[in-house]
Amino acid sequence: MQSLFLQQSHDFPFEKIAAIDLGSNSFHMVVAQVTHGQLRITGEFGEKVQLAAGLVNGYLDDDSQQRGLDCLAQFAQVIEGMPQGSVRVVGTNALRVAKNRYDFIGKAMDIMSHPVEIIAGREEARLIYVGVSRTMDHGDAKRLVVDIGGGSTEFIIGQQLEPILTESLHMGCVSFKQRFFDDGVINKSNFQKAVTAARLELLSIQDDYIDETWDIAIGSSGTIKAAYNIVRENNWGKKGITLKNLKQIQKVLFSAGHADNIVVPGLKPERRPTFAAGIAILTAVFECFDIKQMDFSTGALREGVLYDVMGRYAETDIRERTVNYLLNQYHIDTEQAKLVTHTALSALAQVKDDWNLNSISSEDLLRWAGLLHEVGAGISHSRYHKHGAYIISESDMPGFSQQEQQALANLILRHRRKFTQSLEFRFTKSDQQDLDRLSILLRLANLLHHDRKEGDMPIFTLKANDKSLHAEFLPGWLEGRPLTLANLQREAEALALGGYLLTFS
């Protein structure tokens, strides 16, 4: 049987790719040409949307949503006609916490026709490190990377292309601006309160990061870019940003007294409202980690997303490594996993046109679900599907968006017992239909290998319509397997409760 653990390498199918970062403070898009495996940036676009500023009691208000949609309408003009898979859109902290995020996502997809993925904080940190490590070469030196966003700040220690520690803390220049500088006034008192609050947040990771150690500190994104530009344009130093430079910037802020009055070479006017908050966080980072000097990287999240898109079509897809790690971590019976996965993919190949499951993501999800369907078996056999769904939904899974992770958990939950059971995660109507159909295929594969006999590969033909599936086996095959026949009869009853008709002969 062909190995199912790593996808085979594919020629990269796109000449042009794009990454869109729906940040809490700004929306950014970068477009790149792909030539002989190399990226060449051909366009960069950005706008200060301040999505997080529109969070009221956990909900995005109409004005902030409209600012975001207006920005995406401009982006859509550039990526119009680009095929599915060539554009990756990721949402960060503001969309992670917004209770009405799917209302916004639905409107965004009407504009762009590309899926919007919400990524977890540590996945955001990993992608930031990919962007930094691919655009700056520091040899074998260990790097501390800090990225201050609008709603969160990411911290990564890594070496070469590999992250070692990743963390995301719930503090950013927009959220701190609202907490400490909401009226625009800047003085030593409210600035120090912001620094203290940031230091308290940092306590949860400070010891682990200091114990890991690093050789070089690198900053990325808006606040740190602005500080870096101010230092350079005012000739305050030639070695990046130092704590002395931050003190010089603080003097400028205190002298201004208000965000509207900040005038200093290197700072763009649109950065003024959130700049004091960002500098307070950066000051706390320098003090807690005793940073002497910090360099700036032009590469960050969106560049990391671009390289991640390329990796998904090669043997460097980080998601494959994550699945392999879970296979080993939870001591999954790999022979049984491969049997179920092989049969599930064979079933998919027969019905993908009838059920419109032709996308690469459908095949990937079904393959990963097949490999991991028994991930919870080590906890309890009677409810292992529920334990497995919990493990997948709550684990850190590098490379996976929240939607992918929850879709995978959904398939693992539903591969046995009640077809209608579900997780508390809202999918679009189209995605839910795809998951229903993939779940049926996984349930069928699991059922056909219930006896766990490695050499007994079922041969069958499937025909599918909208809400029906017919399985035809070799003459006499079912009659010689009364357990499988009984299981198929029970499965038909289970699927009928979900509105699907299963027949077999």
Side-chain angles (χ1 to χ4, degrees):
M1 189 186 303
Q2 183 179 353
S3 172
L4 298 162
F5 291 94
L6 275 176
Q7 288 180 293
Q8 304 304 305
S9 295
H10 305 288
D11 290 334
F12 192 70
F14 309 118
E15 293 182 357
K16 184 169 72 171
I17 59 176
I20 298 176
D21 162 19
L22 308 183
S24 301
N25 190 35
S26 304
F27 284 10
H28 291 278
M29 179 173 71
V30 59
V31 181
Q33 204 76 26
V34 183
T35 308
H36 304 300
Q38 299 297 314
L39 287 178
R40 183 174 65 85
I41 304 298
T42 57
E44 294 182 272
F45 310 84
E47 190 167 319
K48 285 238 172 334
V49 171
Q50 293 202 329
L51 201 64
L55 280 169
V56 180
N57 298 321
Y59 290 86
L60 291 171
D61 65 19
D62 291 341
D63 288 345
S64 64
Q65 289 194 54
Q66 193 58 52
R67 291 194 301 270
L69 296 174
D70 289 344
C71 176
L72 293 179
Q74 298 175 35
F75 290 177
Q77 181 181 338
V78 179
I79 60 174
E80 185 179 6
M82 290 180 65
Q84 290 291 316
S86 66
V87 178
R88 190 172 178 206
V89 188
V90 299
T92 58
N93 187 263
L95 289 175
R96 282 197 290 268
V97 303
K99 297 174 183 177
N100 58 339
R101 56 186 173 273
Y102 294 108
D103 296 333
F104 176 79
I105 287 173
K107 297 171 188 174
M109 289 179 64
D110 287 340
I111 293 172
M112 296 188 297
S113 72
H114 292 278
V116 177
E117 305 174 39
I118 309 299
I119 54 175
R122 283 183 173 169
E123 174 62 5
E124 182 179 355
R126 184 191 70 82
L127 289 169
I128 288 166
Y129 186 78
V130 171
V132 172
S133 63
R134 290 284 187 173
T135 51
M136 297 183 82
D137 184 7
H138 293 107
D140 290 330
K142 285 172 72 176
R143 291 176 277 213
L144 168 68
V145 176
V146 180
D147 186 293
I148 301 172
S152 63
T153 299
E154 280 64 50
F155 300 85
I156 313 96
I157 292 179
Q159 192 169 27
Q160 295 184 341
L161 300 179
E162 295 296 323
I164 298 168
L165 291 178
T166 56
E167 193 55 81
S168 176
L169 298 183
H170 192 63
M171 59 179 184
C173 61
V174 174
S175 57
F176 265 44
K177 185 258 183 189
Q178 292 174 315
R179 282 179 64 184
F180 302 104
F181 308 97
D182 198 32
D183 57 2
V185 173
I186 304 168
N187 54 49
K188 290 184 179 180
S189 176
N190 61 3
F191 187 88
Q192 191 54 49
K193 287 178 182 177
V195 172
T196 300
R199 292 195 65 152
L200 288 172
E201 288 286 336
L202 286 162
L203 282 176
S204 63
I205 68 168
Q206 185 176 352
D207 289 345
D208 287 343
Y209 274 66
I210 289 174
D211 288 346
E212 183 63 42
T213 73
W214 60 86
D215 303 306
I216 301 167
I218 306 292
S220 59
S221 296
T223 292
I224 297 174
K225 179 181 180 180
Y228 181 77
N229 287 338
I230 289 169
V231 171
R232 285 202 315 168
E233 294 196 24
N234 289 276
N235 295 314
W236 289 347
K238 297 181 180 179
K239 295 182 178 180
I241 306 166
T242 64
L243 188 57
K244 178 183 176 182
N245 295 147
L246 292 180
K247 299 295 184 185
Q248 290 171 308
I249 293 173
Q250 289 170 29
K251 287 182 180 179
V252 172
L253 298 176
F254 300 149
S255 296
H258 194 282
D260 293 343
N261 300 330
I262 305 170
V263 179
V264 60
L267 182 68
K268 294 180 179 179
E270 61 267 25
R271 174 63 54 181
R272 290 173 186 163
T274 60
F275 189 54
I279 291 299
I281 294 171
L282 186 57
T283 299
V285 171
F286 265 71
E287 291 176 353
C288 283
F289 292 146
D290 193 24
I291 295 172
K292 306 302 181 187
Q293 180 264 331
M294 176 178 283
D295 203 353
F296 172 70
S297 169
T298 56
L301 176 60
R302 48 197 174 276
E303 288 77 16
V305 172
L306 284 179
Y307 281 102
D308 210 56
V309 169
M310 291 184 67
R312 291 185 172 191
Y313 292 87
E315 290 184 358
T316 54
D317 189 342
I318 188 67
R319 296 173 299 176
E320 300 294 343
R321 291 168 55 183
T322 297
V323 171
N324 284 333
Y325 169 79
L326 292 170
L327 282 164
N328 293 321
Q329 177 75 9
Y330 291 95
H331 308 291
I332 294 171
D333 182 344
T334 54
E335 292 307 316
Q336 177 70 3
K338 286 194 285 185
L339 286 172
V340 170
T341 305
H342 186 275
T343 298
L345 292 178
S346 174
L348 176 63
Q350 296 184 56
V351 302
K352 63 182 182 181
D353 291 331
D354 294 334
W355 271 354
N356 194 26
L357 295 171
N358 288 296
S359 69
I360 293 173
S361 60
S362 292
E363 182 177 341
D364 284 341
L365 275 175
L366 185 59
R367 179 166 50 83
W368 293 325
L371 291 171
L372 296 175
H373 74 281
E374 291 187 334
V375 69
I379 299 174
S380 167
H381 182 268
S382 64
R383 293 161 56 88
Y384 77 83
H385 57 301
K386 293 187 177 182
H387 297 310
Y390 178 81
I391 289 169
I392 295 302
S393 65
E394 298 299 323
S395 293
D396 284 327
M397 294 187 64
F400 285 84
S401 68
Q402 286 188 352
Q403 288 100 317
E404 288 174 328
Q405 190 167 342
Q406 295 302 320
L408 185 54
N410 185 283
L411 291 177
I412 289 172
L413 175 69
R414 301 173 68 199
H415 86 272
R416 67 195 288 261
R417 302 287 174 87
K418 292 182 181 179
F419 173 64
T420 53
Q421 60 192 320
S422 64
L423 299 168
E424 293 183 2
F425 189 86
R426 179 179 163 191
F427 296 99
T428 65
K429 187 176 180 180
S430 174
D431 286 347
Q432 187 61 63
Q433 178 177 268
D434 288 351
L435 285 173
D436 289 345
R437 292 170 172 177
L438 291 173
S439 174
I440 291 171
L441 301 181
L442 182 60
R443 292 171 68 91
L444 180 63
N446 182 61
L447 181 157
L448 292 175
H449 291 287
H450 188 68
D451 56 10
R452 307 181 82 89
K453 291 182 179 178
E454 185 176 345
D456 191 15
M457 293 299 293
I459 299 175
F460 55 87
T461 303
L462 295 181
K463 297 288 185 183
N465 288 312
D466 181 34
K467 287 276 189 174
S468 68
L469 181 69
H470 178 73
E472 185 172 343
F473 297 89
L474 291 176
W477 191 85
L478 277 179
E479 287 76 1
R481 294 164 178 80
L483 175 62
T484 302
L485 178 59
N487 285 339
L488 281 169
Q489 291 168 342
R490 282 191 286 268
E491 182 65 11
E493 295 172 2
L495 295 183
L497 296 174
Y500 279 85
L501 174 66
L502 172 66
T503 55
F504 48 88
S505 59

